[in-house]
DNA sequence: GTGGTCTAGACCACG
DNA sequence: GTGGTCTAGACCACG
């Protein structure tokens, strides 16, 4: 796994875990891989992964059972969806619209970029 | 001026200077306010502002004339526009579309949010 | 380490790091000594060394891994070589030839000085 | 007149004056143009030119006659030649040879660059 | 007056 | 432990 610079690694790992949940690789109630296993797999510091699970726990996506490990919480899928939707509509989108406005970019150009992105995705999937 | 926590102060000051250039308050060739004047006005440390101008210089937005101060570079407006436009289309927009795709959000919903944002801006300007 | 007055300390430290890379003391991928260790060893301020690494990073000689430290970049040796070679042929040498021309000094005299310098180096190494 | 960034403006002006002396535009004993005239002509600060003449005076190239102005000193041509020759052989050349050595560049390559520079100067004079 | 650089010391997010 | 950032204060060359 490659990490981007802009975002904290621990948050990128959180995204990675959430993606697994959404994809069904981790079902609700499943035991999540241990902090140490994730750290080994992704070649990051154990503390970093610990912070990831602390974050996931605070957002109701995992629950800790002491001595047993982290488990995907009931309602995790929904919690993830809500969290992301909220971020999307309340943070990402407003920021983008502000930037667009300042640059004199209108909805037309955004639509066009969207269509181009769609085409790219269609012909060069992955 | 209020600073946000997410972004470095020196970068927020850089944005502030760029905005002045785009707004025509600072024309190309104009002398920018001195490092010390900006520091006093924004109530930040002189070194912080010095870092801002170092950054602006590296991006071709100001040129330093020794002993005289910082001057808005020829082509600064274009440089700022290009920089911001590039960020918009190559970073912000793709990230947004990716997020949208993952959430099953289509262009329709983005358009609708855009219209809502427009209305907000219209009725509650500033 | 003794610092000269003509050049900024942070740039002299950058040269010192580059020399270590060229000498093989620091291989590509190696972790560079921490900002604080270098500051302690060279008896300069931590911020000064931080500036050095910022400079090295901008020139592709080190990469920062957050929380882990600075690492010698892939291709650092080549980047340093190119940087220095370019300075030599495009700046130092033309300046010298211009000065020589203005003084009526020809290649013969330069060659002779070269031979003398060689001899000095041979008999008084270091 | 265009100023380079690396060298102090006052030293570049000093070179400019010395060049005039060597070219015969200013003969020994001639009155040099006033500090204010030079400042106006080159569009620099008066203090900068004052520093230039202070420097030239210290190196025996001009003499000040209070109330009358600066005059090209007797022996100015020779003083300039000596000064430049000394800089050339004791500073520029050793620095260049050091840099060359560090880069593994020998006298052959310097000679070749010299020949190329000569050709350039011959075919594209000025 | 102007920016460039440096020090000493601090707090922070991140790992 | 690691680099990033900021402050307060200082001295410098240069103009």
């Amino acid at each position: 796994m490659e990490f981007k610079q802009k975002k904290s690694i621990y948050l990128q790992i959180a995204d990675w875990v959430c993606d697994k949940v959404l994809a069904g690789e981790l079902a609700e109630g499943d035991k999540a891989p241990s902090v140490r296993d994730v750290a080994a797999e992704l070649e990051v510091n154990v503390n970093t992964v610990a912070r990831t699970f602390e974050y996931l726990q605070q957002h109701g996506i995992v629950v800790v059972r002491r001595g047993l490990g982290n488990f995907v919480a009931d309602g995790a899928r929904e919690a993830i969806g809500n969290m992301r939707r909220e971020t999307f509509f309340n943070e990402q989108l407003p920021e983008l619209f502000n930037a667009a406005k300042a640059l004199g970019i209108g909805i037309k150009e955004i639509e066009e970029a969207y269509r181009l992105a769609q085409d790219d995705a269609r012909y060069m999937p992955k």
Side-chain angles (χ1 to χ4, degrees), chain A residues 14-35:
Chain A
D15 280 336
W16 177 78
V17 174
C18 289
D19 286 341
K20 293 205 166 193
V21 173
L22 292 183
E25 291 178 50
L26 281 174
E28 297 185 1
D30 276 6
K31 184 180 176 310
S34 81
V35 165

Side-chain angles (χ1 to χ4, degrees), chain A residues 8-86:
Chain A
S8 300
I9 291 176
Y10 83 94
L11 288 176
Q12 294 182 56
I13 299 174
D15 280 336
W16 177 78
V17 174
C18 289
D19 286 341
K20 293 205 166 193
V21 173
L22 292 183
E25 291 178 50
L26 281 174
E28 297 185 1
D30 276 6
K31 184 180 176 310
S34 81
V35 165
R36 282 173 205 289
D37 285 352
V38 173
E41 183 179 346
L42 302 184
E43 294 178 332
V44 296
N45 192 287
V46 172
N47 289 333
T48 306
V49 183
R51 187 176 290 217
T52 295
F53 279 102
E54 186 191 332
Y55 172 85
L56 292 172
Q57 189 194 343
Q58 285 169 350
H59 286 79
I61 293 159
V62 301
V63 290
V64 187
R65 294 198 210 148
R66 284 182 52 180
L68 294 178
N70 288 285
F71 292 78
V72 179
D74 283 352
R77 293 178 67 97
E78 204 185 331
I80 295 167
N82 290 341
M83 202 172 72
R84 291 191 170 176
R85 224 171 297 275
E86 196 184 309

